[in-house]
Amino acid sequence: MALIALIYSRAPGSTWEMAKLFSCTIIPVFLIGPVAGVYVDRWSRQRTMFICDLIRAGLVFVIAFSLINLKPIFPIYFVIFLVFSIGRFFVPAKMSIIPDLVKKDDLLLANSLVNTTGMIAAMFGLGLGGFLVSPSILGVRGGFYLDAATFFISAILIYFISEKIKLRVSGQVLAGVSKDIAEVVNKSVRSVRGEIKEGIYFLVSNRQTRYVVAVLFTIFAALGAVYVVAIVFVQEILGFSTTLLGILAMSMGAGLFLGSLVYGRLGHKLSHLKIIFACLCLSGILLFLFAFLTYSLRQFAISALISGLLGLALSPIITASNTLVHNLSDSNMMGRVFSSVELVMHLGFFLAMIISAILAEFLGRFWILVGVGFVVIFFGILGLIGEMRQHA
């Protein structure tokens, strides 16, 4: 929310400026992500997560302390790029550590709980953040200070994850990390490429994981196409306010939370793939309704309600996809596999975001949202047809 408010203050109503900002959050996926997954499988996953959050806390603090008032915005873009580069090590480590902490039979519930707690954070963080970054409360600078504090709190919580994998932070640990980093630099390119290929090959060699890859690419391409466009669309139709944007995000977070909770309890009784494709169809319908009703009625309450329903429809897609990958992956290569999944997701997001940001200047934001909704419905129907033929 602080970044959105910052960009709006510099270039109000520009989808292209928003796209440039969010590109800095996505490009690290392609540059750092594949290599990160290889080394996450070699490092302590808990240690990796802990140190990543400490570094990210420091970087965000630098934005608030010394960069926020600079006229050129490039230094902030660069630090955001670094923050998300560090995040490329955190994400596969987080996803890979789950099977270390729970039994295999509990993976669906564990993934649901991971998504649930994440959605609670989204629900309160985005909603409260939209309110707090307004000039009369904390402002943009205060928003960045608060964000730095949350990274630090996360690091402390990671430290206490489990007694059986207790982390001791000492000179030896830091020396070990330095040695590992040196190994990353000195490791032969051929070996790293080989291990990256293993993760990608696994995803494309199994029918179910191919489906997961296709679904995640589709859904994140759709999210990329509408993310920047929807922010500017809401600003134009309902008026710019970080508080209103925060409430919309909070509504979607509430839907994601409820969807994760329900699917985590009942999802084991249903076909993961059928649920994924059915939810794709429902998500496309709701995206169309969001664009049409927001544009025609201009009622914030209706937009917030549909946003919540959209979160409810999206949640089972993410939970079911992660569970399928966990069930089919070998523990020793899970970091590589999830890095490959992240690569696919963000490639779809990035390409669609850039294309839609450009097209929105000519076609209009409304038609971009409507068009993406119909594309998602189409892919959902194709998937359902394929599943029915497979089991016929």
Side-chain angles (χ1 to χ4, degrees):
M1 298 311 300
L3 284 170
I4 290 172
L6 177 65
I7 296 303
Y8 184 81
S9 68
R10 304 286 182 95
S14 173
T15 53
W16 181 239
E17 287 301 320
M18 285 285 184
K20 286 197 294 186
L21 169 67
F22 290 117
S23 294
C24 295
T25 72
I26 298 170
I27 291 175
V29 175
F30 312 118
L31 299 182
I32 309 297
V35 176
V38 172
Y39 288 96
V40 163
D41 285 335
R42 302 177 182 183
W43 296 342
S44 161
R45 289 156 183 171
Q46 187 183 14
R47 181 195 302 174
T48 300
M49 294 167 66
F50 178 80
I51 293 176
C52 282
D53 270 351
L54 286 182
I55 295 173
R56 291 192 290 183
L59 288 171
V60 176
F61 180 85
V62 167
I63 294 177
F65 185 74
S66 61
L67 301 180
I68 197 72
N69 288 328
L70 292 179
K71 287 188 177 180
I73 202 168
F74 172 77
I76 295 178
Y77 284 177
F78 180 69
V79 173
I80 294 298
F81 174 84
L82 292 179
V83 169
F84 281 82
S85 294
I86 298 298
R88 291 309 93 212
F89 292 90
F90 184 92
V91 171
K94 181 189 74 171
M95 297 308 301
S96 301
I97 204 173
I98 294 173
D100 295 338
L101 303 176
V102 301
K103 297 176 182 178
K104 188 173 183 178
D105 291 343
D106 295 328
L107 274 176
L108 178 62
L109 182 58
N111 277 308
S112 175
L113 290 173
V114 168
N115 286 337
T116 297
T117 53
M119 292 315 107
I120 291 173
M123 186 167 55
F124 287 101
L126 290 169
L128 189 60
F131 172 73
L132 291 176
V133 301
S134 59
S136 59
I137 311 296
L138 294 180
V140 175
R141 184 192 294 271
F144 284 117
Y145 277 130
L146 184 60
D147 192 44
T150 62
F151 277 121
F152 180 75
I153 292 169
S154 174
I156 298 302
L157 294 175
I158 290 167
Y159 180 90
F160 292 105
I161 281 178
S162 174
E163 289 297 325
K164 67 181 179 182
I165 51 174
K166 184 75 172 180
L167 173 67
R168 295 183 180 277
V169 180
S170 64
Q172 290 182 339
V173 168
L174 295 177
V177 173
S178 299
K179 183 179 178 181
D180 287 337
I181 293 173
E183 182 186 355
V184 173
V185 176
N186 296 320
K187 191 69 178 177
S188 68
V189 173
R190 182 179 300 175
S191 174
V192 172
R193 284 180 178 173
E195 295 189 44
I196 292 170
K197 288 179 181 178
E198 286 181 19
I200 296 174
Y201 176 76
F202 167 80
L203 289 177
V204 300
S205 63
N206 181 281
R207 171 182 164 272
Q208 288 186 310
T209 54
R210 283 199 302 270
Y211 269 158
V212 170
V213 169
V215 166
L216 290 176
F217 182 88
T218 300
I219 198 66
F220 275 83
L223 290 173
V226 305
Y227 189 60
V228 170
V229 173
I231 290 173
V232 178
F233 177 73
V234 170
Q235 290 172 357
E236 290 179 339
I237 302 300
L238 302 177
F240 177 74
S241 166
T242 55
T243 301
L244 291 183
L245 287 174
I247 293 173
L248 281 177
M250 186 170 63
S251 298
M252 180 172 284
L256 287 164
F257 164 70
L258 182 59
S260 293
L261 195 63
V262 172
Y263 186 70
R265 292 292 181 183
L266 304 178
H268 62 279
K269 301 178 182 179
L270 306 167
S271 164
H272 291 318
L273 288 174
K274 287 182 180 178
I275 285 294
I276 286 171
F277 292 125
C279 287
L280 271 179
C281 293
L282 181 58
S283 298
I285 293 170
L286 288 168
L287 180 58
F288 169 78
L289 288 175
F290 176 84
F292 179 76
L293 294 179
T294 299
Y295 183 80
S296 58
L297 300 181
R298 301 174 185 258
Q299 294 292 321
F300 177 75
I302 294 176
S303 301
L305 174 62
I306 298 175
S307 180
L309 294 174
L310 184 57
L312 189 67
L314 288 172
S315 181
I317 299 175
I318 307 301
T319 303
S321 298
N322 287 337
T323 302
L324 280 172
V325 175
H326 273 141
N327 286 333
L328 297 168
S329 299
D330 183 274
S331 176
N332 294 325
M333 62 181 298
M334 210 165 283
R336 278 163 281 173
V337 170
F338 273 102
S339 282
S340 299
V341 170
E342 285 278 305
L343 184 66
V344 169
M345 290 160 47
H346 285 83
L347 178 62
F349 189 100
F350 178 72
L351 292 176
M353 180 184 69
I354 297 298
I355 293 171
S356 69
I358 295 172
L359 291 179
E361 301 298 325
F362 302 97
L363 300 179
R365 283 85 179 177
F366 171 79
W367 292 111
I368 294 292
L369 297 178
V370 168
V372 172
F374 279 117
V375 170
V376 172
I377 294 170
F378 174 74
F379 276 101
I381 292 173
L382 281 184
L384 284 174
I385 294 172
E387 273 298 285
M388 287 188 289
R389 287 179 177 175
Q390 182 70 26
H391 294 92

